[in-house]
Amino acid sequence: MWFDSVWQAQVDTINPIQSPMAVSSSLFISSLQGSMVAPKTLKCYRENMCSPSNVSCRQSGYTKSMYLTHSRLLPSGKLLKWEQTDGFSSKDRIQCCAVQVENAPLFSVGKKFQLDDVIEALQFDRDILGAIFEVASEMEKIEKNSPGSQILKGYLMATLFYEPSTRTRLSFESAMKRLGGEVLTTENAREFSSAAKGETLEDTIRTIEGYSDIIVMRHFESGAAKRAAVKAGIPIINAGDGPGQHPTQALLDVYTIERELGKLDGIKVGLVGDLANGRTVRSLAYLLAKYQDVKIYFVSPDVVKMKDDIKDYLTSKGVAWEESADLMEVASKCDVVYQTRIQKERFGERIDQYEQARGKYIVDQNVLDVMQKHAVVMHPLPRLDEITVDVDRDPRAAYFRQAKNGLYIRMALLKLLLVGW
């Protein structure tokens, strides 16, 4: 067996009567094959060099180590760490060894980021989310303490926005510059780029990738970011694609929830407003499904209810959800009230439906009065009148802190996509 051969090469003619290591090795292999939890560290040595039975295990310093992998023996994502010490007795012919199973360093410094592009929330698993949040925390320290960071010096980011944006575009541009990079930008590509002349998105992407190292794109069509990523040879970040998804907003939303509440498992979240057209709430629902014991409430006018694809996805993942017409009741139960504006630009000629939906659910002092003390109000912004201005004074109003967190998340994503962990 592969494992036995490695073991024997390291032990150097051990007398099985004198050493328990042979027994330990077979037990350890059996534990791996049986999917049992193996001991973290076995460190064997002779005490007093006099009695074969006087052998014990302890932790001590290592003089040599190497990682060995074997897919048939080790679970996915694990490494076998072999460690050897210099505690060797020529008399007893016992060499001190240790075998340790530990998690593979998936997010070690300098390692390539697991994703080539950031297109949708479904790309992320819980481990990657946690690791990204740790990097974002480091980016906050850089922003506050090291304004002259040069992590991305020599890199160029192109922002290609076919729809209006304030926070997303400026936070990406600020993120790039705060890490020492440079920015090429077009604010209204739909009107002031060659798209106005009929150029296809694919041709635009192929052209711009020749000028930059990464493209941040907002588009009015759902699925446009995927089309761009297929053609591009450099990373594409989806900064919102019509009513489709807004993954970086969802990342900063979950990051904000964790910072505000101190947890992500076992929370109740009320999604309020335009749930049919809101790409932010769709992406957020996908990410919340990664966590345990989450319940989501959908509160919206009938004309903009959450679409069935999100409900079906949550059900398939075992996430509890409920539709309600009573904002006050939902607000009293929730840890997060996530308000969104009714998006007039998505209604087209259906102005009557927009007017019917607008103003139905407003977060004001009355809503704050029924909310729990630890709960927070969030909003992807911009707001119109769906959150009254007097709410801003309440410490539970987290939406401007939320917007600031977008800078740290986007700094983290740029760093990870361009230079890795």
Side-chain angles (χ1 to χ4, degrees):
M1 177 182 259
W2 167 85
F3 188 95
D4 286 331
S5 64
V6 174
W7 185 276
Q8 293 298 328
Q10 296 290 326
V11 174
D12 187 25
T13 322
I14 289 178
N15 183 335
I17 297 177
Q18 290 179 313
S19 172
M21 292 294 285
V23 177
S24 298
S25 68
S26 63
L27 288 174
F28 190 79
I29 295 167
S30 297
S31 296
L32 286 172
Q33 291 174 330
S35 299
M36 297 170 61
V37 179
K40 274 288 184 182
T41 304
L42 294 177
K43 182 71 62 177
C44 298
Y45 68 105
R46 291 279 301 215
E47 285 185 350
N48 301 328
M49 296 295 185
C50 60
S51 171
S53 62
N54 194 15
V55 179
S56 63
C57 295
R58 71 175 181 184
Q59 292 185 347
S60 63
Y62 302 128
T63 60
K64 179 181 179 182
S65 67
M66 58 183 172
Y67 285 100
L68 304 172
T69 60
H70 195 284
S71 60
R72 293 181 59 193
L73 292 177
L74 298 175
S76 176
K78 298 284 187 179
L79 291 178
L80 177 68
K81 188 174 183 182
W82 176 273
E83 295 176 322
Q84 172 182 321
T85 69
D86 57 0
F88 178 79
S89 167
S90 59
K91 174 182 178 182
D92 295 299
R93 304 193 66 78
I94 297 176
Q95 188 172 5
C96 302
C97 302
V99 173
Q100 181 175 357
V101 172
E102 59 184 36
N103 289 327
L106 296 176
F107 311 116
S108 57
V109 175
K111 189 177 180 70
K112 186 180 183 297
F113 188 41
Q114 284 78 357
L115 305 178
D116 294 321
D117 311 281
V118 174
I119 305 300
E120 59 184 8
L122 289 167
Q123 292 176 272
F124 301 94
D125 62 29
R126 183 165 175 158
D127 289 339
I128 292 180
L129 289 172
I132 291 172
F133 295 162
E134 288 185 12
V135 176
S137 181
E138 292 302 313
M139 294 299 104
E140 181 174 359
K141 296 175 185 176
I142 288 177
E143 186 262 342
K144 291 180 177 178
N145 303 318
S146 304
S149 174
Q150 298 296 305
I151 293 175
L152 297 183
K153 183 179 181 179
Y155 288 95
L156 274 169
M157 176 187 73
T159 53
L160 183 63
F161 279 61
Y162 292 84
E163 285 190 323
S165 172
T166 301
R167 277 151 296 278
T168 303
R169 183 172 66 85
L170 291 181
S171 64
F172 264 116
E173 294 179 2
S174 175
M176 191 67 177
K177 287 180 175 292
R178 287 180 181 278
L179 293 176
E182 298 293 336
V183 176
L184 306 174
T185 185
T186 176
E187 183 175 357
N188 188 351
R190 190 173 189 176
E191 184 177 350
F192 298 115
S193 76
S194 291
K197 304 175 184 177
E199 183 176 57
T200 66
L201 173 64
E202 286 78 5
D203 283 356
T204 299
I205 293 298
R206 291 293 300 273
T207 300
I208 293 177
E209 73 173 347
Y211 308 146
S212 59
D213 302 295
I214 189 169
I215 298 173
V216 179
M217 187 183 82
R218 171 169 289 183
H219 203 275
F220 50 88
E221 292 181 356
S222 180
K226 286 184 180 179
R227 288 167 50 200
V230 168
K231 288 295 182 182
I234 62 175
I236 299 290
I237 297 179
N238 180 8
D241 57 344
Q245 288 207 39
H246 197 347
T248 69
Q249 179 70 47
L251 288 171
L252 75 89
D253 289 342
V254 175
Y255 181 62
T256 299
I257 293 171
E258 183 180 53
R259 287 171 64 93
E260 296 288 333
L261 301 181
K263 64 177 182 176
L264 289 165
D265 292 316
I267 63 173
K268 295 178 181 178
V269 180
L271 303 181
V272 186
D274 191 343
L275 307 186
N277 301 306
R279 57 198 174 203
T280 62
V281 289
R282 291 174 59 82
S283 292
L284 178 56
Y286 281 126
L287 289 192
L288 289 175
K290 310 294 183 185
Y291 298 92
Q292 301 297 315
D293 301 320
V294 171
K295 183 167 185 178
I296 300 177
Y297 294 88
F298 300 126
V299 183
S300 67
D302 289 339
V303 295
V304 286
K305 284 192 171 186
M306 180 60 79
K307 295 178 181 178
D308 289 340
D309 63 330
I310 296 295
K311 299 174 187 175
D312 293 342
Y313 178 81
L314 294 175
T315 299
S316 72
K317 298 299 182 181
V319 178
W321 60 270
E322 178 183 326
E323 290 186 314
S324 174
D326 191 338
L327 174 58
M328 297 292 282
E329 180 184 4
V330 169
S332 69
K333 299 176 180 178
C334 285
D335 304 289
V336 178
V337 175
Y338 190 99
Q339 176 70 293
T340 64
R341 70 183 176 90
I342 305 299
Q343 301 182 40
K344 184 177 181 179
E345 65 270 24
R346 308 296 180 200
F347 283 81
E349 301 297 324
R350 300 170 296 152
I351 300 301
D352 58 329
Q353 292 184 3
Y354 168 72
E355 294 297 340
Q356 176 186 347
R358 180 182 176 183
K360 185 168 184 179
Y361 295 108
I362 296 177
V363 175
D364 56 14
Q365 187 60 49
N366 293 326
V367 174
L368 289 176
D369 288 343
V370 302
M371 287 176 59
Q372 301 174 74
K373 296 300 182 183
H374 74 274
V376 294
V377 178
M378 295 175 59
H379 193 304
L381 302 177
R383 68 171 165 185
L384 300 180
D385 54 3
E386 63 275 1
I387 299 179
T388 58
V389 177
D390 60 317
V391 173
D392 298 355
R393 297 191 298 268
D394 194 292
R396 292 171 292 180
Y399 30 88
F400 292 114
R401 298 191 295 272
Q402 177 185 353
K404 180 68 173 182
N405 288 336
L407 173 64
Y408 309 135
I409 285 291
R410 286 159 181 151
M411 288 173 72
L413 289 175
L414 291 173
K415 187 261 185 188
L416 291 171
L417 286 166
L418 289 171
V419 301
W421 295 101

